[in-house]
Amino acid sequence: MAISEKEVKHVAWLARLGLTDAEVQKFTRQLDVILEHAGKISELNVENVPPTSHAIPLKNVLREDKVGACLTPEDALSNAPKKEDQAFVVPRIV
Amino acid sequence: MELYQMTIHELHEKLLNKEVSAKEITDSVFSRIEEVEDKVKSYLTITKDVALEQAKLADEKIAAGGKVGPLAGIPTAIKDVMCTRGVRTTCGSKILDNFIPVYTSTAVQNLFDEGIVMTGKTNMDEFAMGSSTENSGFFPTRNPWDLERVPGGSSGGSAAAVAADEAVFSLGSDTGGSIRQPAALCGIVGMKPTYGLVSRYGLVAFASSLDQIGPFTKDVTDCAIVLNHLVRHDPMDSTSVKIDRPDYKEILINDLKGVRVGVPKELMAEGIDPKVKKVVEDAIKVLADNGAIVAETSLPNLEYGLSAYYIIAPAEASSNLARFDGVRYGYRAPDPDDLMDMYMRTRTEGFGDEVKRRIMLGTYALSAGYYEAYYGKAQKVRTLIVRDFNKAFEDFDVLVSPTSPTVAFKIGEKVANPLQMYLSDICTIPVNLAGLPGISVPCGTVDGLPVGLQIIGKALGEETILRVAYSFEQNFNWSEKPKLETRD
Amino acid sequence: MEYESVIGLEIHAELNTESKMFCGCGTHFGEAPNTQTCPVCLGLPGSLPVANAKAIEYVIKSGLAVGCGINLYSIFHRKNYFYPDMPKDYQISQYDQPLCINGFIDLDMNDYQTRIGITRIHLEEDTGKLIHIGGAGRIAGAKYSLVDFNRAGVPLMEIVSEPDIRTPEEAKAYAQKLRAVLITLGVSDCSMEKGSMRVDANISIRPKGSTGLGVKTELKNLNSFRSLQRALAYEIERQAKALNEGKPEEIVQETRHWDEAKGATSTLRTKEYAHDYRYFPDPDLVPMEFDIAYIDFLRSQLPELPNERKQRFIKEYGLPVHEANLLTESKAMGDFFEETAKLYKGDPKAVANWMLGDMSYYLNTEGLEIDETAVTPKHLAELLKLIDKGVISGKIAKEIFPEMFETGKLPQVIVEEKGMTQISDEAEISKIIDMVLEENTSTVEEYRAGKDKAFGFLIGQAMRLTRGRGNPQLINRLLREKLQA
């Protein structure tokens, strides 16, 4: 097994996803097959290989410290599920 | 021939000659949409009002004798993963069902500036995760060649729209084959440019280091025309490259003499449907018959590419999709008890299974204790893939392969087996990992279903692959059209 | 048992760039909610970050100013966790390749000197602000919360010290010195009040002489240097008490909230979860690479730093080490001193004495910074000149100072308004002394009989008759002359 039900529950929680028991079983089975396949890369010896996080060799792409246009608060909040006093409302945190 | 059947360059000529108006073209396309959309289901949102307004502007500009570019007045469909100000943008997800962007993505804005007519936003696999458009949170799109089959994915709506003449061209996005594979399955031209060539600003991210916008067109000439207007440096995208862009249309010549074409043996191996392989071999023969120097080559680490991809892409996605949390936009579960309840229920109810699967996969690959074995290692494997391509390109100008190992499969056929679905991207994924350009052109049929030839170039080698694709198209002379029926 | 504390500070300073870290929104403090936002800092789908060149320059300069090595190759990572003040539900930060590593700050603690190591300085983006509704504005007990993203994406520099700090006084001195450095560099306002400088402290204690580490707690809500010092002192006592009473279980690894009013720390009640930040390189940003010439250029641009200034004060103005140290504790203090010394042209030590004496007293009493009062270098220089010219005595000057402090009136104006001018007219003083001698014949006799103390009494009488305005030197001289006549 590449991944256990317990681990699936843990990553689901880290990702803020709720799973039913049946889903835990289903996803564990599916992820296990995928990870088994992905685990193929462990066969490779890549000790001295540098990682590639970008396919293009760009560096130092920076912007000048200049103020540009902002959104109007109406636009900023236009998709807010709930708003009050020009701010986004979230339910109690603790 | 109906206006909606024509290419960009044909319509442009008619517009310049004042034979037709943008309004007439637009009306023609919308009448086609009305006729066939119920069967194909390409669109998530149809924007007729926007289209008519844009057509009017294009006509006014032409009437006033103003200079118009080749895209002015051309009906265009946009994959629903690119933000359009004031027009609902769902990414094929219930979680963004009600989302109306307040800004327009750079790529789309560049086309707006050229005077396109936006017909609507097309269906897609949720957040571009999938190879069949069955993962749309709304409904599946059907392949115009066989309505019981998938159009491919994730940009299935954009591919089907062009194949069914519901748009003259369309935009898609390609993370692991999401333009090329549906283009192949729908019998049209689809291109993924070099990573960084087209701005990603406003493209809702799936896997940031792999995503790239590109066109679906009816022929290679149209592809070059659209590319001319998509390729712009964008200061809003740190990964946007600055180049002296050639005129891609001007460099299209029918000449393959001396062009060195490599055929990676790993992409013609088991796993490729033998009938598909045969069609592709015939296509390669067309290249050779017209002067190309064809030889076998090898990408030895290719089999590990798929594994690396299915670690890297979900890892980036797990982070990119965290923002869909119900705080600032999109769906929020009703009456949450507290913040945690809101997060959990919003995301659980808002995302579909494939998205959940990949978020969990990516979260796992990045989590403490597994990072090195999975994500860290996958990034190194990515280097090996890049090296394989670099080596092959020492000897060849382009590499060719089937775009997809199979023709379009039946709706529902692979839904229960995610890994099987993932394997349908085996030919296209390595190209994204290396950031290279790739184009799929139709090269025949198997049992009446289209097959695509993938042509892969060096980084920024768009000119070469367009030239090879164009030459192939000129010498292959394929003119089959989908019938929008169900086959057996 | 005698304990020693092991303290490390994590200091966040907002950089005072014009625009945010990854977008062009402004960074003003105190604007109406959600007026300084854009697709990028709201984390709207599809938006992308582009790094602010100035912010990177500021962090490198800060690193150079505290002796850090600069990583010539540095990248941004994503730190993943869900929280409503974080628009993307990940923070763009730095992980294993921060901009600056391995620096230090030297502290002068009066009777000893010590060096505090700096582990790293990295660049990240600030979060938005939460306003809790109900429950007296605290997160615990609030009914719901409002989110304002104006602050989200403001460039934030995190400076992590080594656990080299041993006392609350050192912690305070370190934070103050760091603040002086950053203000001198002009990279941050470092206002603890506005939250542009935020200090968190890690603290554990161990038996003196041991090298092991005890269980540490993290202290938050330290909104002033005073809070920092008090909170640490409280926490050290709390931990020592727990150990002495054989209740080590009272010290757990946790975050504790400092309550300034109660003068105590308490467990911060949040839903504590085991974090797994899943750091990975941000694919939306490309690496930063610097060449040595650029770093050297930035080094050459550094202004005079507090410790250099201290040395110069000692050399140039002849100040004692202690005074020089205090005067360079903040940039504003040092600037005030130099400006005053320049205007005054007299003995710089007099300036130092006034600043560290009366001036500091009133500043502390009012809880003000030196640049927040009506007293300017011109005020102090004029006051000193009046003393030197004999217009007022030192004693009168001390009376004038608080009024100057309060009203901002120049000293001569106060002197004139109140008729406090010193009497330096020899004839007038002579007359007064004659009166004193007449009225105090017996004391005069005592003096002549050899009782030196009597002289002081007579001076006092003369000062009394001039209502303190008599020139003391003149009185002294004339009295002596007349007694000896």
Side-chain angles (χ1 to χ4, degrees):
Chain A
M1 286 289 278
I3 190 166
S4 66
E5 286 190 10
K6 193 174 160 225
E7 285 169 319
V8 167
K9 278 186 197 162
H10 178 63
V11 292
W13 184 81
L14 275 178
R16 303 294 184 265
L17 295 170
L19 303 181
T20 62
D21 289 347
E23 281 175 321
V24 169
Q25 285 177 15
K26 178 182 78 176
F27 283 125
T28 305
R29 212 167 49 240
Q30 290 172 338
L31 293 180
D32 190 54
V33 174
I34 298 163
L35 284 168
E36 197 77 48
H37 186 273
K40 262 192 183 174
I41 58 171
S42 61
E43 297 166 10
L44 284 170
N45 181 5
V46 287
E47 210 173 306
N48 297 313
V49 179
T52 296
S53 45
H54 291 89
I56 39 157
L58 286 173
K59 59 179 181 185
N60 296 339
V61 178
L62 308 172
R63 41 173 282 275
E64 233 185 289
D65 181 29
K66 277 214 301 237
V67 176
C70 288
L71 292 173
T72 62
E74 292 72 37
D75 269 356
L77 289 137
S78 63
N79 280 290
K82 203 170 176 189
K83 56 192 161 191
E84 182 180 306
D85 293 341
Q86 210 170 291
F88 299 86
V89 175
V90 293
R92 65 187 176 80
I93 296 171
V94 294
Chain B
M1 197 172 183
E2 300 288 338
L3 290 173
Y4 61 72
Q5 293 174 298
M6 295 181 186
T7 61
I8 298 170
H9 51 99
E10 286 164 352
L11 291 167
H12 180 58
E13 214 174 292
K14 287 189 184 299
L15 279 168
L16 287 192
N17 295 338
K18 312 236 158 92
E19 285 173 51
V20 296
S21 65
K23 168 89 165 62
E24 285 166 324
I25 298 172
T26 304
D27 285 344
S28 171
V29 170
F30 275 101
S31 69
R32 176 68 175 174
I33 292 173
E34 264 163 46
E35 187 191 333
V36 305
E37 174 61 10
D38 277 354
K39 291 192 213 170
V40 185
K41 308 289 271 176
S42 301
Y43 287 98
L44 285 169
T45 305
I46 292 176
T47 54
K48 196 167 178 180
D49 290 351
V50 177
L52 290 173
E53 185 60 31
Q54 288 172 327
K56 195 168 150 236
L57 284 173
D59 281 333
E60 281 167 7
K61 212 169 169 193
I62 293 167
K67 236 185 103 194
V68 295
L71 298 181
I74 304 295
T76 310
I78 308 289
K79 186 179 182 181
D80 209 19
V81 72
M82 290 166 233
C83 289
T84 41
R85 182 175 167 95
V87 175
R88 171 180 180 245
T89 299
T90 67
C91 299
S93 181
K94 288 279 185 206
I95 213 164
L96 288 180
D97 197 359
N98 58 3
F99 178 59
I100 314 272
V102 292
Y103 77 106
T104 299
S105 66
T106 304
V108 174
Q109 188 60 50
N110 285 343
L111 299 190
F112 280 169
D113 293 346
E114 287 298 315
I116 60 153
V117 169
M118 181 169 75
T119 52
K121 307 291 293 286
T122 59
N123 196 16
M124 56 186 283
D125 285 305
E126 186 177 4
F127 287 105
M129 296 177 184
S131 310
S132 67
T133 315
E134 291 164 287
N135 295 333
S136 165
F138 300 94
F139 46 78
T141 294
R142 289 159 187 272
N143 191 317
W145 295 78
D146 178 352
L147 299 175
E148 292 295 298
R149 288 173 191 268
V150 302
S154 65
S155 316
S158 280
V162 173
D165 293 323
E166 294 186 277
V168 176
F169 81 96
S170 64
L171 288 188
S173 66
D174 188 319
T175 305
S178 284
I179 292 174
R180 291 158 290 157
Q181 184 255 18
L185 269 45
C186 289
I188 57 171
V189 174
M191 183 188 202
K192 180 200 96 75
T194 303
Y195 183 81
L197 209 50
V198 181
S199 169
R200 293 187 295 115
Y201 191 79
L203 166 71
V204 180
F206 161 15
S208 314
S209 76
L210 302 161
D211 296 341
Q212 189 63 188
I213 290 171
F216 287 98
T217 56
K218 294 176 182 176
D219 67 12
V220 176
T221 306
D222 276 6
C223 180
I225 292 169
V226 179
L227 198 61
N228 273 343
H229 299 284
L230 283 178
V231 175
R232 301 266 160 89
H233 175 255
D234 183 5
M236 300 292 279
D237 176 357
S238 302
T239 60
S240 168
V241 296
K242 268 185 199 153
I243 59 157
D244 280 327
R245 179 183 57 77
D247 186 324
Y248 295 114
K249 187 177 169 243
E250 288 306 309
I251 52 90
L252 294 178
I253 47 165
N254 180 3
D255 182 8
L256 289 167
K257 272 180 217 75
V259 175
R260 298 169 302 164
V261 176
V263 185
K265 62 177 186 205
E266 294 82 3
L267 290 176
M268 290 293 251
E270 54 170 327
I272 308 294
D273 182 296
K275 289 181 188 167
V276 168
K277 190 178 164 190
K278 175 72 174 54
V279 170
V280 170
E281 279 166 352
D282 289 348
I284 295 170
K285 203 157 166 294
V286 172
L287 298 177
D289 289 348
N290 285 280
I293 304 160
V294 179
E296 191 182 80
T297 182
S298 173
L299 300 169
N301 292 297
L302 208 74
E303 60 166 316
Y304 301 106
L306 191 73
S307 304
Y309 176 87
Y310 277 100
I311 293 165
I312 292 168
E316 292 181 10
S318 71
S319 172
N320 284 333
L321 269 59
R323 69 187 64 190
F324 303 103
D325 60 4
V327 175
R328 285 142 299 129
Y329 41 76
Y331 176 71
R332 175 187 289 197
D335 309 316
D337 294 340
D338 60 10
L339 182 74
M340 185 57 75
D341 183 48
M342 181 188 83
Y343 281 157
M344 296 295 280
R345 276 170 49 217
T346 295
R347 291 167 62 79
T348 303
E349 292 162 21
F351 289 136
D353 272 4
E354 181 59 25
V355 171
K356 287 179 187 166
R357 214 153 24 230
R358 297 211 200 182
I359 288 175
M360 287 190 283
L361 197 53
T363 303
Y364 181 71
L366 291 174
S367 63
Y370 297 103
Y371 180 93
E372 274 314 315
Y374 287 102
Y375 191 77
K377 192 137 191 189
Q379 289 221 322
K380 292 178 172 188
V381 172
R382 195 170 175 183
T383 305
L384 298 182
I385 302 291
V386 171
R387 286 178 181 173
D388 278 2
F389 275 111
N390 286 345
K391 186 139 189 308
F393 281 119
E394 284 174 13
D395 300 323
F396 298 99
D397 300 308
V398 298
L399 303 178
V400 298
S401 77
T403 306
S404 164
T406 64
V407 291
F409 44 89
K410 287 258 166 75
I411 290 173
E413 191 180 320
K414 299 188 183 180
V415 172
N417 190 338
L419 182 62
Q420 206 54 44
M421 187 76 92
Y422 295 176
L423 289 171
S424 57
D425 293 331
I426 181 76
C427 301
T428 45
I429 277 171
V431 180
N432 296 77
L433 286 172
L436 304 176
I439 189 170
S440 179
V441 288
C443 68
T445 54
V446 165
D447 304 330
L449 295 168
V451 174
L453 173 71
Q454 176 175 234
I455 306 165
I456 305 163
K458 297 173 194 177
L460 304 175
E462 275 74 8
E463 285 170 75
T464 313
I465 60 170
L466 281 167
R467 183 177 142 198
V468 172
Y470 179 75
S471 301
F472 175 76
E473 182 183 75
Q474 295 299 307
N475 292 293
F476 185 63
N477 268 321
W478 192 68
S479 60
E480 282 182 57
K481 281 277 179 187
K483 298 200 177 61
L484 275 62
E485 291 169 357
T486 301
R487 308 171 61 95
D488 326 291
Chain C
M1 172 125 42
E2 204 181 339
Y3 295 104
E4 156 181 89
S5 39
V6 178
I7 301 166
L9 297 188
E10 278 177 26
I11 295 185
H12 284 91
E14 277 183 353
L15 300 175
N16 58 9
T17 52
E18 296 292 318
S19 64
K20 290 186 179 179
M21 186 57 225
F22 296 110
C23 65
C25 287
T27 55
H28 288 152
F29 177 79
E31 299 287 324
N34 295 302
T35 51
Q36 289 182 149
T37 65
C38 75
V40 179
C41 58
L42 277 178
L44 295 189
S47 63
L48 295 170
V50 184
N52 184 334
K54 182 114 274 162
I56 293 164
E57 180 191 314
Y58 279 1
V59 173
I60 295 177
K61 276 187 170 172
S62 303
L64 291 172
V66 294
C68 280
I70 307 301
N71 272 326
L72 297 181
Y73 179 92
S74 182
I75 61 173
F76 288 106
H77 271 70
R78 289 187 187 176
K79 180 181 185 182
N80 295 285
Y81 65 99
F82 285 86
Y83 209 65
D85 63 4
M86 222 172 34
K88 302 181 293 297
D89 287 301
Y90 62 79
Q91 181 188 32
I92 304 178
S93 181
Q94 297 198 278
Y95 184 51
D96 53 358
Q97 285 150 305
L99 284 164
C100 316
I101 48 168
N102 298 336
F104 61 87
I105 277 184
D106 284 332
L107 298 180
D108 229 317
M109 301 301 299
N110 288 342
D111 43 350
Y112 68 98
Q113 295 180 331
T114 185
R115 171 169 286 195
I116 310 299
I118 289 174
T119 317
R120 56 186 274 147
I121 306 180
H122 75 242
L123 181 54
E124 60 190 26
E125 52 180 348
D126 208 344
T127 60
K129 233 165 86 181
L130 291 169
I131 301 130
H132 306 296
I133 307 297
R138 289 273 306 265
I139 189 166
K143 278 171 69 187
Y144 60 96
S145 303
L146 302 179
V147 200
D148 168 15
F149 289 104
N150 281 348
R151 198 181 67 180
V154 169
L156 195 62
M157 171 167 66
E158 181 174 333
I159 302 148
V160 182
S161 88
E162 291 285 314
D164 291 345
I165 300 166
R166 292 290 167 268
T167 67
E169 292 71 31
E170 284 179 16
K172 181 179 169 210
Y174 165 81
Q176 277 180 331
K177 182 72 87 176
L178 191 61
R179 180 174 185 268
V181 169
L182 300 182
I183 289 177
T184 301
L185 291 172
V187 302
S188 174
D189 302 336
C190 289
S191 161
M192 294 186 74
E193 199 185 359
K194 288 188 206 164
S196 62
M197 178 172 177
R198 310 196 274 270
V199 183
D200 297 331
N202 285 304
I203 158 103
S204 64
I205 62 169
R206 64 187 175 196
K208 206 170 172 94
S210 101
T211 52
L213 288 173
V215 177
K216 69 176 177 184
T217 56
E218 188 184 1
L219 307 184
K220 286 197 184 276
N221 196 40
L222 311 175
N223 294 325
S224 66
F225 293 120
R226 185 179 134 89
S227 299
L228 169 66
Q229 195 178 342
R230 287 182 67 204
L232 283 169
Y234 174 88
E235 187 62 15
I236 291 166
E237 210 182 291
R238 185 186 76 86
Q239 293 187 9
K241 187 162 172 264
L243 294 186
N244 286 336
E245 290 173 357
K247 297 176 187 161
E249 68 279 2
E250 286 181 3
I251 312 169
V252 291
Q253 188 156 345
E254 62 174 357
T255 302
R256 296 180 69 84
H257 182 91
W258 168 250
D259 187 324
E260 179 71 29
K262 285 187 193 151
T265 64
S266 60
T267 301
L268 188 64
R269 282 186 22 159
T270 56
K271 287 189 180 168
E272 282 282 340
Y273 301 108
H275 283 299
D276 183 347
Y277 292 126
R278 289 158 283 138
Y279 281 99
F280 75 105
D282 191 332
D284 287 330
L285 292 159
V286 300
M288 296 168 274
E289 265 185 69
F290 314 105
D291 52 37
I292 304 231
Y294 172 71
I295 304 297
D296 285 344
F297 169 75
L298 290 184
R299 200 190 308 271
S300 74
Q301 301 290 101
L302 293 181
E304 183 186 46
L305 296 165
N307 272 351
E308 293 163 2
R309 192 178 218 186
K310 180 178 84 184
Q311 293 307 325
R312 186 167 58 79
F313 278 14
I314 294 168
K315 238 172 88 182
E316 197 175 313
Y317 299 107
L319 298 182
V321 177
H322 180 64
E323 274 80 352
N325 200 35
L326 290 174
L327 286 174
T328 51
E329 224 168 46
S330 81
K331 181 176 187 300
M333 196 84 169
D335 287 349
F336 194 102
F337 169 76
E338 290 212 88
E339 187 66 16
T340 310
K342 205 170 101 194
L343 291 171
Y344 169 49
K345 298 189 184 75
D347 184 1
K349 279 185 209 145
V351 178
N353 288 340
W354 271 89
M355 284 182 65
L356 299 174
D358 291 58
M359 183 130 190
S360 290
Y361 171 79
Y362 289 109
L363 286 174
N364 285 339
T365 312
E366 299 292 318
L368 291 172
E369 295 291 324
I370 195 156
D371 49 1
E372 292 171 340
T373 73
V375 175
T376 66
K378 188 176 176 199
H379 285 92
L380 183 54
E382 294 292 326
L383 187 73
L384 290 166
K385 280 183 194 168
L386 291 178
I387 299 169
D388 287 0
K389 282 187 199 147
V391 179
I392 54 173
S393 64
K395 190 164 168 273
I396 294 286
K398 279 182 184 294
E399 285 170 33
I400 290 172
F401 193 89
E403 178 154 1
M404 195 166 84
F405 191 88
E406 211 165 283
T407 63
K409 285 181 187 165
L410 281 168
Q412 50 268 59
V413 174
I414 300 169
V415 166
E416 272 160 35
E417 275 177 6
K418 304 218 159 165
M420 293 166 121
T421 323
Q422 182 165 265
I423 303 163
S424 295
D425 183 79
E426 206 167 317
E428 203 177 334
I429 296 287
S430 185
K431 239 192 269 168
I432 286 163
I433 290 176
D434 288 344
M435 281 167 68
V436 170
L437 295 178
E438 271 171 37
E439 282 172 17
N440 297 284
T441 45
S442 58
T443 315
V444 172
E445 288 306 316
E446 283 172 22
Y447 174 77
R448 291 202 167 122
K451 207 171 168 193
D452 279 350
K453 258 170 89 182
F455 187 75
F457 176 79
L458 294 171
I459 293 269
Q461 291 305 303
M463 283 306 271
R464 189 179 57 83
L465 286 177
T466 63
R467 293 205 196 91
R469 291 160 57 214
N471 181 327
Q473 285 84 30
L474 194 59
I475 293 174
N476 197 302
R477 178 166 62 80
L478 291 179
L479 181 65
R480 213 170 281 277
E481 280 171 14
K482 282 177 197 284
L483 283 170
Q484 279 159 11

